[in-house]
Amino acid sequence: MTHLALTNVSKLFGDFAAVRDFNLDVEKGEFVSFLGPSGCGKTTTLRMIGGFEIPSFGNILIDGEDITNKAPNQRNVGMVFQSYALFPNMTVAQNIGFGLRVRKESEANIADRIKEMLSIIHLEGKAHSYPYQLSGGQMQRVALARALAIRPEVLLLDEPLSALDAKIRVSLRAEIRGIQQRLGITAIYVTHDQEEALSLSDRIVVMNTGKIEQVGTPFEIYNFPKTRFVANFVGSLNTADAEVVDVQQGLLIADGVLFHTAEGTKGRSVGDKVKMAIRPERFSFASEQKKANVIDATIENITFLGAVVRIEVKIGNANFNMDTFNNPFLELPKIGSQTKVTCSREAVLVLDD
Amino acid sequence: MTQNVLSAFKGKVSASNYKNWIGVAPFFLFAILFIFLPSIRLFVDSFKDNNGHFTFANILQLFSEPYILNAYALSIKISAVTALGGAILGFLLAYSVTVGNLPKPMRSILITFSGVASNFAGVPLAFAFVSTLGRTGFITILFKDVFGLDIYQSGFNLYGFAGLSLVYMYFQFPLMVLIMAPALDGLKKEWREASENLGASAMQYWIYIALPVLLPSILGATILLFGNAFGAYATAYALTGGRIGIVTIQVGAQIRGDVLHNPGLGYAMAMGMVFIMAISLAGYSWLQAKTERWLK
Ligand SMILES: Nc1ncnc2c1ncn2[C@@H]1O[C@H](COP(=O)(O)OP(=O)(O)O)[C@@H](O)[C@H]1O
Ligand SMILES: [Mg+2]
């Protein structure tokens, strides 16, 4: 059953449309990320769910109830800010208990809830510390506990990790996901970091210039990007202009080289100009001739990236990147040498614009 | 080895210390010349009679002469009233141009005005008020002619407590604006949003978060305003020609006056003022420590 629904939501600032025609249904307990470059309208959408912006058009419903025009303090939605936004004059315990205190819950209930939340975020020892005495990661955990303490119907997180350093980002990200799953709470998570979105989410909403580009599981978004924007924004990608040669057999020609695609020519006709895309890791050296695409290539450059070795190959007149796992017992080809590379039909994507 | 490293380290520290202190040397020079030495002189001279002999008489007079006690009472009253009034008015004005939704240009207008007005004192300030609210002032006449109301008949007197308080307010509230505007800017938008998000009303936000966060600044500024009025002399003198009995004017009369010439008593009264300011500053530090325990 749909828990949170946004229908045809748009937000205008003057003439400028920050969010356009946003449609999304979120299930109870689902973790959904809004992923997109800076300025694409992620925060604005999140703030409309929180009640800090009122949509210019469209509706927002929680459990079927229209909350579009409700004041923020009348909604039961928890929010975690990028800057933590802890109240500096209150201790950790007072911060966590604040929402319950203004709701006039009994002191005993508040104390119990604070204890419970402190144990969830593993900061039992810091109950009486002030925010300035905590590290960034600890502050954000307190902010999370504060938002969760009021038992919100939806938890909103706006780039909660982007002010933290890389190590803490990764561990706290796992912690957030763990807590969210344990409590079964519906969460909307805003980020511009594709790795974060891919690793955390049940579903990802990829946004660009105020519009949804694609909604899907991390698997779908990564492996089957629908638009050029998604393909480029999520993961790295080789793209080339191509033309449909044979619809039946799924044949494309790019720069004089033929490529077989699995589904790419569906619904198109011979002569259509299309954008062809292949992820670097889908290429490999053609040791056996079992794959559909076996292509002559010249080694142009080799970059060692640790776990991965990135090899730049020339196919026809275009350069493609090819990623292979680093294998210390396998000799790398020489720059300038001729070789054959291969990829499956499924690896050859054809993108909408 | 360790010894060598340590002594080398020490040498370095003291060398850099010496350089660091050069920058603040002018400050200490000023402090010694114009605060420390005069204070000592004040202290010493308040125990001298007109012939330069040691005496306790001046100090004892502070507590026995009714006109001196009244002078302190009046000064404290005027300072407290204008500090509180200025603090409240200044806070509200600063609020309306920062957190409030007034158009942006209002802010620069108010801040510029405050910068000028907070330094407006002495003869020009007194003249401005005499020519508007004096017995034949512009506004006094206007009230009389238009509304048939003689404000002097109804109890107002520019040269008394109410009048002087009003004049002081003219530099008190702008000073508060200048101090509070940056403090109010320091309130983060996210605190308000987080509190709303947690279910708090605007009122609860102010009571639980904004005011506690601002309290140290508000207290500090109010004490400053108190001292500002307590030490004021030129404005009151220019306005009343020395007829209002606040402490600074009484001190002036003892030190410079022809009728009541007793510098020793003047110094003793000034000592009393220093003492009162010291008490209010001590009270302030105590309150500040209580209200600021969440700060670094
Ligand atoms: N209050 C506002 N007034 C005018 N423009 C705004 C306002 N808030 C956001 N915008 C604009 O809307 C666009 C989307 O902003 P935002 O939702 O913050 O993007 P994101 O979070 O994806 O980086 C940006 O171009 C931003 O400048
Ligand atoms: Mg944002």
Side-chain angles (χ1 to χ4, degrees):
Chain A
M1 200 199 108
T2 302
H3 182 51
L4 168 70
L6 289 91
T7 43
N8 300 320
V9 170
S10 297
K11 178 67 188 180
L12 305 177
F13 292 112
D15 286 344
F16 174 73
V19 178
R20 286 181 274 177
D21 240 346
F22 195 100
N23 283 287
L24 181 70
D25 287 348
V26 179
E27 301 291 308
K28 192 154 190 73
E30 206 178 1
F31 194 115
V32 175
S33 292
F34 294 172
L35 174 65
S38 172
C40 72
K42 308 179 296 288
T43 296
T44 304
T45 309
L46 200 75
R47 287 171 63 80
M48 288 193 282
I49 302 172
F52 298 109
E53 304 284 357
I54 300 295
S56 308
F57 305 103
N59 295 299
I60 301 172
L61 285 81
I62 291 183
D63 279 337
E65 187 201 350
D66 191 329
I67 59 156
T68 315
N69 295 303
K70 267 196 174 179
N73 58 7
Q74 302 301 313
R75 311 180 178 206
N76 199 21
V77 168
M79 183 132 175
V80 176
F81 297 81
Q82 179 181 344
S83 58
Y84 324 130
L86 294 181
F87 307 132
N89 57 320
M90 297 184 196
T91 62
V92 165
Q94 289 167 335
N95 264 283
I96 296 175
F98 181 77
L100 303 173
R101 182 151 291 126
V102 298
R103 272 151 221 252
K104 308 262 189 288
E105 292 222 12
S106 75
E107 286 301 319
N109 277 353
I110 297 174
D112 284 350
R113 187 69 177 159
I114 290 172
K115 220 166 168 187
E116 189 185 343
M117 298 318 300
L118 281 172
S119 97
I120 285 180
I121 58 167
H122 305 296
L123 282 180
E124 289 95 334
K126 297 280 185 190
H128 303 295
S129 301
Y130 283 96
Y132 79 88
Q133 294 165 313
L134 305 179
S135 69
Q138 291 172 331
M139 283 197 266
Q140 200 54 294
R141 272 145 70 195
V142 174
L144 179 68
R146 182 178 69 177
L148 289 170
I150 59 170
R151 299 185 176 81
E153 288 165 296
V154 178
L155 178 67
L156 307 174
L157 305 104
D158 191 356
E159 312 222 7
L161 305 178
S162 53
L164 302 171
D165 51 44
K167 261 231 162 72
I168 295 173
R169 213 153 53 213
V170 172
S171 69
L172 192 49
R173 155 172 118 194
E175 207 174 322
I176 289 177
R177 177 61 159 157
I179 293 170
Q180 178 267 337
Q181 283 179 321
R182 190 137 50 93
L183 302 180
I185 191 164
T186 312
I188 309 286
Y189 188 100
V190 162
T191 180
H192 63 261
D193 180 337
Q194 45 144 325
E195 191 189 313
E196 236 169 72
L198 290 169
S199 63
L200 278 171
S201 318
D202 292 317
R203 275 193 303 158
I204 298 175
V205 177
V206 184
M207 295 178 66
N208 184 30
T209 61
K211 282 186 308 195
I212 294 184
E213 288 273 339
Q214 188 176 353
V215 181
T217 62
F219 185 86
E220 287 165 352
I221 295 285
Y222 189 84
N223 293 312
F224 307 109
K226 283 223 186 86
T227 67
R228 213 162 131 186
F229 176 82
V230 175
N232 274 311
F233 192 75
V234 183
S236 52
L237 196 71
N238 299 295
T239 54
D241 291 316
E243 200 180 308
V244 178
V245 175
D246 188 325
V247 177
Q248 217 66 53
Q249 293 187 47
L251 261 184
L252 304 169
I253 190 161
D255 230 346
V257 183
L258 283 174
F259 286 87
H260 292 266
T261 166
E263 305 241 309
T265 53
K266 251 193 201 164
R268 299 178 200 272
S269 32
V270 175
D272 278 0
K273 304 259 187 269
V274 294
K275 198 59 133 178
M276 182 185 80
I278 303 168
R279 295 229 183 260
E281 72 271 17
R282 302 300 298 270
F283 279 117
S284 56
F285 289 113
S287 47
E288 326 147 43
Q289 304 259 334
K290 68 175 181 196
K291 291 204 171 153
N293 298 299
V294 177
I295 305 154
D296 287 318
T298 314
I299 309 288
E300 291 273 296
N301 203 356
I302 298 177
T303 315
F304 187 70
L305 300 174
V308 166
V309 180
R310 173 156 293 181
I311 301 165
E312 200 178 325
V313 294
K314 188 173 210 161
I315 299 175
N317 280 319
N319 280 14
F320 286 73
N321 283 325
M322 163 172 156
D323 286 350
T324 63
F325 280 116
N326 172 29
N327 181 344
F329 305 106
L330 221 61
E331 210 182 325
L332 290 170
K334 298 270 175 305
I335 290 174
S337 63
Q338 296 288 320
T339 186
K340 280 182 191 302
V341 296
T342 183
C343 68
S344 68
R345 283 166 172 270
E346 289 76 21
V348 180
L349 306 171
V350 173
L351 306 173
D352 300 329
D353 250 336
Chain B
M1 175 64 200
T2 342
Q3 279 293 316
N4 282 346
V5 173
L6 268 181
S7 56
F9 187 61
K10 260 186 197 158
K12 227 180 173 162
V13 166
S14 55
S16 70
N17 265 356
Y18 159 72
K19 278 183 204 144
N20 288 341
W21 285 98
I22 284 185
V24 291
F27 163 74
F28 282 110
L29 197 65
F30 268 94
I32 290 170
L33 283 179
F34 302 110
I35 297 178
F36 191 63
L37 293 181
S39 303
I40 293 196
R41 163 104 198 274
L42 206 62
F43 183 76
V44 171
D45 285 2
S46 57
F47 291 97
K48 283 184 185 165
D49 63 18
N50 275 353
N51 303 318
H53 298 304
F54 178 84
T55 176
F56 273 118
N58 297 326
I59 305 291
L60 291 175
Q61 253 184 304
L62 288 188
F63 299 95
S64 55
E65 286 280 359
Y67 83 92
I68 294 178
L69 290 173
N70 287 339
Y72 279 116
L74 185 59
S75 273
I76 290 174
K77 204 163 101 185
I78 288 181
S79 306
V81 165
T82 62
L84 282 179
I88 292 169
L89 184 60
F91 182 87
L92 292 177
L93 278 167
Y95 170 89
S96 56
V97 295
T98 51
V99 189
N101 285 325
L102 281 190
K104 276 269 170 296
M106 274 306 296
R107 180 190 172 121
S108 31
I109 292 173
L110 181 71
I111 297 292
T112 310
F113 163 80
S114 299
V116 175
S118 61
N119 286 305
F120 201 31
V123 177
L125 178 60
F127 178 75
F129 271 85
V130 169
S131 60
T132 46
L133 281 168
R135 284 186 197 281
T136 57
F138 163 67
I139 291 182
T140 314
I141 301 291
L142 195 76
F143 267 92
K144 214 182 272 176
D145 292 354
V146 178
F147 305 108
L149 175 76
D150 184 341
I151 54 174
Y152 278 79
Q153 288 283 305
S154 354
F156 178 79
N157 179 8
L158 185 60
Y159 313 104
F161 168 74
L164 191 60
S165 298
L166 191 69
V167 176
Y168 278 15
M169 282 294 283
Y170 192 84
F171 58 75
Q172 291 285 62
F173 83 81
L175 186 57
M176 186 71 179
V177 169
L178 290 182
I179 299 171
M180 285 319 295
L184 282 156
D185 283 335
L187 292 176
K188 288 200 192 125
K189 190 182 100 204
E190 286 87 355
W191 294 337
R192 182 177 200 127
E193 291 184 346
S195 80
E196 276 186 84
N197 176 255
L198 293 164
S201 64
M203 182 81 147
Q204 285 169 321
Y205 162 71
W206 275 95
I207 292 173
Y208 293 123
I209 297 142
L211 282 180
V213 167
L214 291 174
L215 204 54
S217 316
I218 295 176
L219 283 174
T222 309
I223 295 287
L224 191 68
L225 260 55
F226 179 87
N228 201 26
F230 195 64
Y233 170 69
T235 307
Y237 192 83
L239 188 72
T240 69
R243 284 191 306 275
I244 190 162
I246 59 173
V247 186
T248 45
I249 288 196
Q250 301 292 17
V251 172
Q254 294 298 347
I255 296 176
R256 303 194 321 193
D258 332 300
V259 190
L260 298 163
H261 191 66
N262 184 357
L265 180 59
Y267 295 138
M269 286 164 72
M271 278 289 299
M273 292 183 67
V274 172
F275 184 69
I276 289 171
M277 275 320 290
I279 287 182
S280 49
L281 282 175
Y284 164 64
S285 327
W286 180 74
L287 279 173
Q288 197 182 34
K290 273 185 80 107
T291 53
E292 254 188 2
R293 64 193 183 285
W294 44 271
L295 280 181
K296 262 170 259 196

